[in-house]
RNA sequence: GUGGGUAUGGCGGAAUGGUAGACGCGCUGGUUUUAGGUACCAGUGCCGCAAGGCGUGGGGGUUCAAGUCCCUUUACCCACACCA
């Protein structure tokens, strides 16, 4: 074999890329008779450059897409851009680029890069969420949500940055300060638009059980996020009215109504209307409320946060025991926006409550006694008892178990007219208003006389004005000289446009539907088309979207269903969450980040900065990030090794669901394999049977063995691809090529078998390395595109193993291996095993007590001692 | 704190309860080459000259048989987080 034969990926890849594009090989045929397969990866934010993380994500989807197409499906494989969002505005602030220009130039660059990567996307279905034709339809959907009561407006608190004059997302608040301005963030109330996702809470939980092909982890995360808890809402009655508080009761929510007789305090949120009323005449309480506001919401703060309370002096009646009154406290741990903003504390059976009670010397009365313990013997120190048991000290609940007591307590609340069973959710309605420029304008006009009036459909789209300024902080739409001034569609009076735009998660909640009908200018999408293509058969993306994006998309699909747009509930049938791509980080002596190519290892194993030979520090292996300078641009790698090598490498080292480490040595080794494959096939071409040669009547043992190897490889490789075990599939491929290398091709039957092997090999790796496969496919004499060549079929007869090598164990330890015909019965297997010289000599000393034979698997001989 | 996950050679990782370490990287020796690189051949879990022994984070258990199942424990990772 000629060791100097070298594959020229640059030339070959460019050639096939051009041909595929010219011949529109990846164009979706919407009228195809084939069964449909919708293969989708989460579309990217157009940040500027593609990195290897993207490449891995899209390669996974590409392999599936190509494999499914070869397997006879009509594949919809689109790509687009999640193109609205804050980074564009930051670019405008930082370097004066217009968000629109910046975004579209990024899209152009990234599209070119993606096309270089050879993905089989149908670019005719491309979508960018900042295209007017896209957000026009999104505005239509918004109006439909409004009609159906899914969209509504209400006042809500936001994080307000007083220096930048803008609202911040929670992620943009760092240690209570704006991430950009550093200003202390204030909470402000603004009227904002919401989508009623909570109405779908139960349906979204129930739907999870139908998503059997989703990772369990994601389903659990969503269920926890929705956070359904069943309990009871009831009132504590205030014996005397509180001036300024327009109620005579405190409403609480509890999941443990059974423990009502253990109640030793009522805790209300510092933001509770009662707290605010009382604080007006109580400076000390006002100070306490102010202090509670300060506490950060960051993870560390909460973990160390002390339970703090303030006794109001008020006492409420116990609902079932007139002899008891319960003190009302303000407590810093009570959230105003969950339940009713008030709760009753039962210290004996709630850990947080017992901490509070011990601190403020409130009574701790056990009312649930563990099974088998005498009530008199049961005491609690600093740990609450939250398990099951029998009710005690609880009048009419005594003797019941927890479940029965809950029900009876609720019945009693109902009978007294104090409350009723209620289900609460952690999930809040989805606030979609953003006080930003670069987003989809909310199609609403505010009129002083008519209120919030929807923009009539025939006046859509509400387009973003281009002539905006970013010289000052705040929303440019707000201070645009003309844009927001308009007339009311109802009364024709002077009115103002809504200047808020929609959160970008709205854009990504229906793009997968738009892909089915990307160019429709009449409506968001054609119903029949969506009903045909949806649900997405395989969705691939990062685990970081496990909750928000995937939950919003599930909600949107249902909301659109209820507006008559489509007939499905769940958008994504299979979900695959891939791992991150990590890379080593390096810093110089001053702690500045260095690119990996800026450092080298000296002979002592120490890292040096190449430029000036000063010491460098090797840092952690972390997710690729521009700021840490540990990104790898696939385009650079492609220059050297070709894109097929990159595609192969990102799939071969780790299972796709796990994190993957990018290494120079790794891509180098992969490149060697690409060449080896090329040589193996290219060099052998003159020696194998001609294309389409008749199958020989019989095969020699050697040729038959090759055919068996080929068919076993098809079987295991295909199985691994189906299971997303790409790394294992590639390992099988390497094994196969290793074995092919040593075979002599000197007889007609072997020439035929070898051609079969070569064609199979090329077809198997075609989804992973499409350019190389296409090239060799032509060399093998074909003129059609390999993506349309039917996936190799396994000949079951050939794939069956005819002999097996199994272990012979003595007391569970392997002492010998035997090879015997596959399918040998237990008796034969045992005979061969005990006759093995080594086994026989052991048995001569210690006779077998028992012999377990699992045909084709194992023999285990149990001997004494 | 709650929920979920992971732990296998120097490294990435394979193993429907049935020969642990496939495949690759790295390393060692050799062949080709002016040299380097490439390519090819052989070896490579640990201890041991060998016979053999030991080995899947630790401890226990179920089983003829455990990386795999159960209990327990440690470390790390991810998500959520005062949710009543």
């Amino acid at each position: 074999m000629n060791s100097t034969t070298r594959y020229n990926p640059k030339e070959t890849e460019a050639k096939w890329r051009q041909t595929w594009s010219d011949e529109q090989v990846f164009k979706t045929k919407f009228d195809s008779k084939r069964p449909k397969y919708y293969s989708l990866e989460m579309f990217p934010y157009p940040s500027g450059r593609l990195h290897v993380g993207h490449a891995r994500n899209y390669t996974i989807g590409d392999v599936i897409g190509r494999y499914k197409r070869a397997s006879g499906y009509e594949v919809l494989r689109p790509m687009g851009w999640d193109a609205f969002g804050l980074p564009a505005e930051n670019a405008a602030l930082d370097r004066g680029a217009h968000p629109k220009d910046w975004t579209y130039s990024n899209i152009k660059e990234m599209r070119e890069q993606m096309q270089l990567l050879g993905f089989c996307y149908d670019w005719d279905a491309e979508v960018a969420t900042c295209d007017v034709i896209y957000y026009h339809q999104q505005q239509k959907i918004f109006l439909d949500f409004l009609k159906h009561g899914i969209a509504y407006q209400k006042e809500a608190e936001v994080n307000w940055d007083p220096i930048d004059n803008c609202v911040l997302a929670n992620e943009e608040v760092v240690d209570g300060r704006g991430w950009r301005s550093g200003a202390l963030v204030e909470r402000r109330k603004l009227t904002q638009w919401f989508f009623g996702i909570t109405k779908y809470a139960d349906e979204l939980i129930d739907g999870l059980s139908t998503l059997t092909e989703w990772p369990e982890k994601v389903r659990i995360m969503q269920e926890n996020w929705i956070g359904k808890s069943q309990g009871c809402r009831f009132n504590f009655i205030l014996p005397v009215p509180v001036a300024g508080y327009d109620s005579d009761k405190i409403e609480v929510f509890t999941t443990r109504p059974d423990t009502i007789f253990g109640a030793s305090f009522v805790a209300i949120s510092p933001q509770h209307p009662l707290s605010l009323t009382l604080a007006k005449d109580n400076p000390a309480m006002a100070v306490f409320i102010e202090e509670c506001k300060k506490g950060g919401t960051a993870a560390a703060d909460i973990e160390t946060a002390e339970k703090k309370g303030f006794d109001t002096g008020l006492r409420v009646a116990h609902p079932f025991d007139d002899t008891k009154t319960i003190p009302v406290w303000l407590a810093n741990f009570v959230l105003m926006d969950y339940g009713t903003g008030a709760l009753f504390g039962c210290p004996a059976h709630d850990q947080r409550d017992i901490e509070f009670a011990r601190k403020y010397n409130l009574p701790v009365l056990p009312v649930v006694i563990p099974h088998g313990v005498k009530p008199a013997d049961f005491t609690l120190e600093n740990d609450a008892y939250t398990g099951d048991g029998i009710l005690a000290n609880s009048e009419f609940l005594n003797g019941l178990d927890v479940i029965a007591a809950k029900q009876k307590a609720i019945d009693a609340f109902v009978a007294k007219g104090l409350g009723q069973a209620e289900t609460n959710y952690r999930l809040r309605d989805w606030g979609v208003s953003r006080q930003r420029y670069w987003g989809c304008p909310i199609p609403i006009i505010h009129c002083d006389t008519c209120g919030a009036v929807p923009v009539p459909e025939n006046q859509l789209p509400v387009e973003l004005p281009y002539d905006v300024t970013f010289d000052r902080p705040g929303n440019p739409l707000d201070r645009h000289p003309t844009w927001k001034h308009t007339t009311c569609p109802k009364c024709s009076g002077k009115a103002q446009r809504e200047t808020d735009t929609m959160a970008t998660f709205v854009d990504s909640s229906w793009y997968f539907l738009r892909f089915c009908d990307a160019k429709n200018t009449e409506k968001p999408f054609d119903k029949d088309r969506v009903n045909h293509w949806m649900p997405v058969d395989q969705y691939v993306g990062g685990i970081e979207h496990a909750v928000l994006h995937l939950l919003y998309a599930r909600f949107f699909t249902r909301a659109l269903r209820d507006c008559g747009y489509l007939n499905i509930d769940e958008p994504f049938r299979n979900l695959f969450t891939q791992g991150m791509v990590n890379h080593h980080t390096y810093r110089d002596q001053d702690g500045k980040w260095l690119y990996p190519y800026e450092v080298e290892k000296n002979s002592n194993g120490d890292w040096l900065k190449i430029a000036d030979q000063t010491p460098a520090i090797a840092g952690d292996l972390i997710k690729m990030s521009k700021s840490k300078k540990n990104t790898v641009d696939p385009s650079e790698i492609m220059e050297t090794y070709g894109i097929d090598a990159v595609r192969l490498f990102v799939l071969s080292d780790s299972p796709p669901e796990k994190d993957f480490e990018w290494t120079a040595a790794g891509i180098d080794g992969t490149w060697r394999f690409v060449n080896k494959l090329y040589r193996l096939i290219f060099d052998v071409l003159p020696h194998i049977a001609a294309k389409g040669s008749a199958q020989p009547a019989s095969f020699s043992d050697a040729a038959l063995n090759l055919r068996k190897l080929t068919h076993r490889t098809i079987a295991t490789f295909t199985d691994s691809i189906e299971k997303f075990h790409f790394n294992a599939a590639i390992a099988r491929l390497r094994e196969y090529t290793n074995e092919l290398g040593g075979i002599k091709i000197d007889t007609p039957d072997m020439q035929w078998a070898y051609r079969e092997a070569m064609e199979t090999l090329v077809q198997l790796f075609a989804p992973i390395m499409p350019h190389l496969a296409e090239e060799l496919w032509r060399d093998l004499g074909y003129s059609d595109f390999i993506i349309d060549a039917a996936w190799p079929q396994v000949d079951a007869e050939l794939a069956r193993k005819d002999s097996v090598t199994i272990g012979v164990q003595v007391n569970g330890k392997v002492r010998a291996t035997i090879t015997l015909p596959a399918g040998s019965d237990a008796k034969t297997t045992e005979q061969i095993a005990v006759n093995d010289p080594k086994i026989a000599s052991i048995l001569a000393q210690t006779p077998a007590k028992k012999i377990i034979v699992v045909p084709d698997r194992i023999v285990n001989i149990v001997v004494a001692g």
Side-chain angles (χ1 to χ4, degrees):
Chain A
M1 220 169 270
N2 185 349
S3 68
T4 57
T5 305
R6 238 171 208 267
Y7 173 54
N8 183 339
K10 251 178 116 170
E11 214 171 86
T12 305
E13 288 175 355
K15 177 176 73 186
W16 291 116
R17 202 159 51 232
Q18 191 60 47
T19 309
W20 294 335
S21 164
D22 293 347
E23 309 266 330
Q24 304 205 315
V25 174
F26 306 135
K27 198 168 160 51
T28 313
K29 294 179 189 68
F30 284 88
D31 54 355
S32 172
K33 295 275 186 292
R34 295 170 152 216
K36 70 98 182 179
Y37 192 90
Y38 189 173
S39 160
L40 184 69
E41 298 96 55
M42 293 178 186
F43 66 163
Y45 179 80
S47 57
R49 297 288 290 173
L50 225 52
H51 58 76
V52 179
H54 292 119
R56 190 185 192 209
N57 186 190
Y58 308 138
T59 301
I60 292 168
D62 210 56
V63 170
I64 295 302
R66 287 174 183 269
Y67 165 68
K68 286 294 175 183
R69 176 143 167 200
S71 302
Y73 291 88
E74 184 61 33
V75 174
L76 173 59
R77 205 170 140 57
M79 181 42 75
W81 313 96
D82 188 13
F84 273 135
L86 202 52
E89 288 188 53
N90 289 334
L93 286 169
D94 291 344
R95 50 198 117 126
H98 191 283
K100 184 175 179 179
D101 301 338
W102 185 82
T103 302
Y104 277 101
S105 119
N106 285 349
I107 287 176
K108 181 170 179 289
E109 194 172 344
M110 285 177 77
R111 187 195 299 117
E112 280 166 10
Q113 280 190 299
M114 258 193 218
Q115 286 168 342
L116 286 182
L117 281 156
F119 299 128
C120 60
Y121 294 126
D122 177 1
W123 287 100
D124 286 351
E126 182 180 359
V127 154
T129 57
C130 64
D131 287 346
V132 179
I133 68 161
Y134 186 85
Y135 72 72
H136 176 176
Q137 300 305 328
Q138 186 162 308
Q139 291 172 340
K140 208 176 273 183
I141 291 173
F142 183 93
L143 295 180
D144 260 323
F145 280 6
L146 207 60
K147 270 185 220 152
H148 287 83
I150 296 166
Y152 66 96
Q153 61 175 347
K154 68 170 181 190
E155 269 213 330
E157 278 197 346
V158 295
N159 302 308
W160 181 260
D161 185 319
I163 291 187
D164 278 356
N165 281 321
C166 67
V167 170
L168 300 175
N170 286 331
E171 301 76 47
E172 291 162 355
V173 181
V174 182
D175 295 332
R177 289 171 184 277
W179 68 309
R180 179 169 280 273
S181 69
L184 273 176
V185 168
E186 297 169 6
R187 315 205 86 194
R188 269 204 193 179
K189 281 206 158 176
L190 294 179
T191 298
Q192 304 196 75
W193 291 94
F194 284 83
F195 287 163
I197 190 172
T198 51
K199 276 192 215 149
Y200 291 84
D202 274 324
E203 212 194 316
L204 289 167
I205 289 177
D206 295 344
L208 290 172
S209 64
T210 68
L211 299 174
T212 52
E213 304 306 313
W214 279 37
E216 170 114 50
K217 176 164 65 164
V218 175
R219 288 185 288 167
I220 290 169
M221 282 166 76
Q222 292 214 350
E223 192 169 345
N224 292 341
W225 186 266
I226 297 168
K228 181 176 184 169
S229 57
Q230 285 168 307
C232 167
R233 180 199 279 250
F234 69 92
N235 299 317
F236 284 101
I237 306 297
L238 289 163
V240 283
V242 174
Y245 179 62
D246 59 1
S247 172
D248 62 344
K249 60 204 183 212
I250 300 171
E251 207 170 23
V252 298
F253 175 74
T254 183
T255 55
R256 294 295 303 270
D258 54 309
T259 64
I260 183 63
F261 287 96
S264 56
F265 61 93
V266 168
I268 62 175
S269 166
Q271 304 304 318
H272 195 277
L274 181 56
S275 309
L276 300 175
T277 305
L278 292 168
K280 282 179 191 156
D281 307 317
N282 188 335
M285 194 185 291
V287 169
F288 178 80
I289 292 171
E290 274 311 304
E291 273 174 11
C292 290
K293 274 189 194 167
K294 277 186 202 158
T297 51
D301 296 331
I302 292 164
E303 195 151 350
T304 54
E306 215 182 322
K307 308 280 173 277
K308 282 187 198 153
F310 189 97
D311 188 354
T312 62
L314 290 179
R315 298 293 178 268
V316 288
H318 188 283
F320 301 122
D321 185 347
D322 298 338
T323 65
K324 269 191 198 166
T325 59
I326 302 173
V328 180
W329 286 66
L330 268 57
N332 64 341
F333 58 81
V334 182
L335 306 172
M336 193 53 221
D337 62 356
Y338 183 80
T340 60
L343 56 90
F344 79 83
C346 175
H349 306 293
D350 184 282
Q351 188 56 34
R352 188 194 49 213
D353 293 347
I354 202 168
E355 286 171 32
F356 192 78
R358 291 300 183 212
K359 179 162 177 184
Y360 293 106
N361 273 320
L362 295 161
V364 178
L365 175 68
V367 290
V368 178
I369 312 299
H371 293 286
V373 178
K374 282 185 196 158
D377 297 343
F378 187 62
T379 55
L380 293 159
E381 292 301 324
N382 294 318
D383 291 316
Y385 176 72
T386 55
D388 195 11
I390 298 296
L391 273 285
N393 304 321
S394 296
E395 300 194 5
F396 61 90
L397 300 176
N398 283 340
L400 297 174
D401 63 21
V402 168
I403 290 173
K406 278 184 183 173
Q407 191 52 54
K408 193 158 183 186
I410 292 172
D411 293 345
F413 282 120
V414 172
K416 283 201 130 191
L418 289 173
Q420 66 284 315
E422 189 178 273
T423 301
N424 251 301
Y425 299 91
R426 210 190 73 104
L427 185 69
R428 311 272 72 140
D429 270 349
W430 176 16
V432 297
S433 295
R434 294 292 181 273
Q435 293 66 37
R436 303 280 184 192
Y437 165 72
W438 193 232
C440 170
I442 295 174
I444 292 288
I445 292 168
H446 295 284
C447 169
D448 285 343
T449 40
C450 308
V453 181
V455 175
E457 264 201 31
N458 60 14
Q459 289 178 29
L460 293 181
V462 178
E463 264 192 74
L464 285 172
Y466 182 81
D467 55 336
V468 285
T469 53
F470 289 90
D471 51 342
R472 275 175 296 155
N475 183 353
L477 291 177
D478 242 351
R479 56 169 188 267
H480 188 280
T482 56
W483 185 79
K484 73 175 175 182
H485 303 293
T486 184
T487 52
C488 172
K490 264 192 187 167
C491 70
S492 301
K494 271 194 174 178
Q496 296 202 330
R497 289 193 186 283
E498 170 71 66
T499 55
D500 286 354
T501 55
M502 290 184 222
T504 55
F505 272 122
V506 177
D507 312 341
S508 56
S509 291
W510 70 285
Y511 78 105
F512 45 91
L513 302 167
R514 180 74 182 172
F515 274 146
C516 302
D517 194 10
K519 299 295 179 245
N520 199 325
T521 52
E522 299 299 312
K523 45 189 175 180
F525 44 81
D526 178 73
K527 190 173 184 176
D528 292 339
R529 272 210 182 187
V530 161
N531 284 336
H532 171 72
W533 285 103
M534 290 295 290
V536 171
D537 293 281
Q538 183 63 60
Y539 199 27
V540 180
I543 187 73
E544 67 272 21
H545 294 112
V547 177
L548 293 180
H549 162 61
L550 289 168
L551 190 64
Y552 291 149
R554 296 181 61 226
F555 154 67
F556 238 75
T557 304
R558 288 171 167 81
L560 288 169
R561 175 203 63 198
D562 291 347
C563 295
Y565 278 95
L566 44 73
N567 297 338
I568 55 159
D569 299 334
E570 289 292 346
F572 313 121
R573 180 178 293 147
N574 293 274
L575 173 69
F576 187 86
T577 54
Q578 99 275 10
M580 295 182 301
V581 176
N582 295 328
H583 199 198
H584 276 290
T585 50
Y586 302 94
R587 299 203 219 201
D588 67 12
Q589 294 183 99
D590 305 325
K592 280 199 202 133
W593 298 103
L594 297 169
Y595 287 103
Y597 58 76
E598 292 181 294
V599 297
E600 63 180 3
K601 220 177 203 173
N602 70 9
S603 50
N604 300 328
D606 300 321
W607 289 97
L608 295 175
K609 189 172 165 184
I610 296 171
D612 55 12
Q613 295 293 304
T614 55
I617 303 130
D620 292 333
L621 188 63
I622 52 175
K623 182 181 178 176
M624 286 194 177
S625 136
K626 266 187 188 170
S627 62
K628 310 280 165 43
K629 292 194 174 179
N630 68 335
T631 53
V632 173
D633 187 329
S635 301
E636 287 170 25
I637 302 294
M638 206 197 76
E639 279 295 303
T640 321
Y641 300 102
I643 216 56
D644 283 344
V646 174
R647 294 174 57 120
L648 177 64
F649 178 45
V650 296
L651 294 179
S652 51
D653 252 28
S654 314
E657 69 276 12
K658 288 183 77 172
D659 285 1
F660 166 81
E661 184 192 353
W662 180 273
T663 62
I667 183 71
D668 226 52
T670 306
W671 166 236
R672 288 203 292 272
F673 179 60
V674 172
N675 275 295
K676 186 176 163 179
L677 264 179
Y678 180 76
R679 273 199 311 277
L680 170 70
I681 300 165
F682 189 80
D683 291 351
V684 90
L685 284 172
H687 310 293
I688 61 175
K691 181 194 159 206
S693 303
Q695 180 173 338
S698 65
F699 290 95
S700 64
D701 282 354
L704 192 60
N705 283 338
L706 174 56
R707 297 204 66 206
K708 287 177 175 175
L709 176 64
T710 300
H711 283 267
R712 278 203 297 275
T713 303
I714 298 171
T716 53
F717 183 88
T718 306
D719 185 54
S720 293
I721 293 285
E722 291 269 0
K723 290 177 177 156
F724 277 68
H725 296 174
F726 300 126
N727 56 329
I730 292 164
R732 293 289 83 77
L733 213 58
R734 283 179 178 268
E735 246 178 325
Y736 185 46
T737 53
N738 287 345
E739 298 192 50
L740 283 168
I743 294 175
K744 270 193 186 153
I745 313 166
D746 48 5
T747 57
D749 59 336
M750 183 56 96
Q751 285 164 354
W752 193 92
Y754 216 95
R755 166 165 277 275
E756 182 185 42
M758 292 298 100
E759 292 189 1
T760 301
L761 177 60
V762 171
Q763 282 195 272
L764 292 184
F765 73 67
I768 300 168
M769 294 176 280
H771 309 85
L772 177 63
E774 194 78 84
E775 177 74 10
L776 291 166
W777 193 236
R778 305 304 155 128
D779 289 343
L780 282 162
Y782 288 86
S783 54
D784 58 338
F785 291 100
I786 193 165
I787 197 170
D788 286 322
W791 192 253
Q793 291 303 302
V794 179
D795 182 328
E797 186 62 30
L798 288 167
R800 189 181 320 132
K801 285 199 164 189
D802 42 17
S803 79
V804 289
T805 301
I806 64 172
V808 182
Q809 300 178 327
V810 176
N811 286 351
K813 296 198 175 198
V814 177
R815 296 298 174 193
T817 57
I818 53 174
T819 301
L820 66 171
S824 301
D825 61 25
K827 210 175 157 191
T828 316
T829 307
E830 182 180 325
Q831 274 308 311
I832 295 170
V834 299
N835 287 334
D836 179 89
K838 203 154 168 204
I839 300 300
S841 80
I842 294 170
L843 291 179
Q845 290 166 28
T846 337
K849 290 208 309 206
K850 190 176 175 185
I851 299 182
I852 290 104
V853 178
V854 183
D856 290 350
R857 289 262 173 226
I858 200 85
V859 177
N860 191 11
I861 300 170
V862 186
V863 301

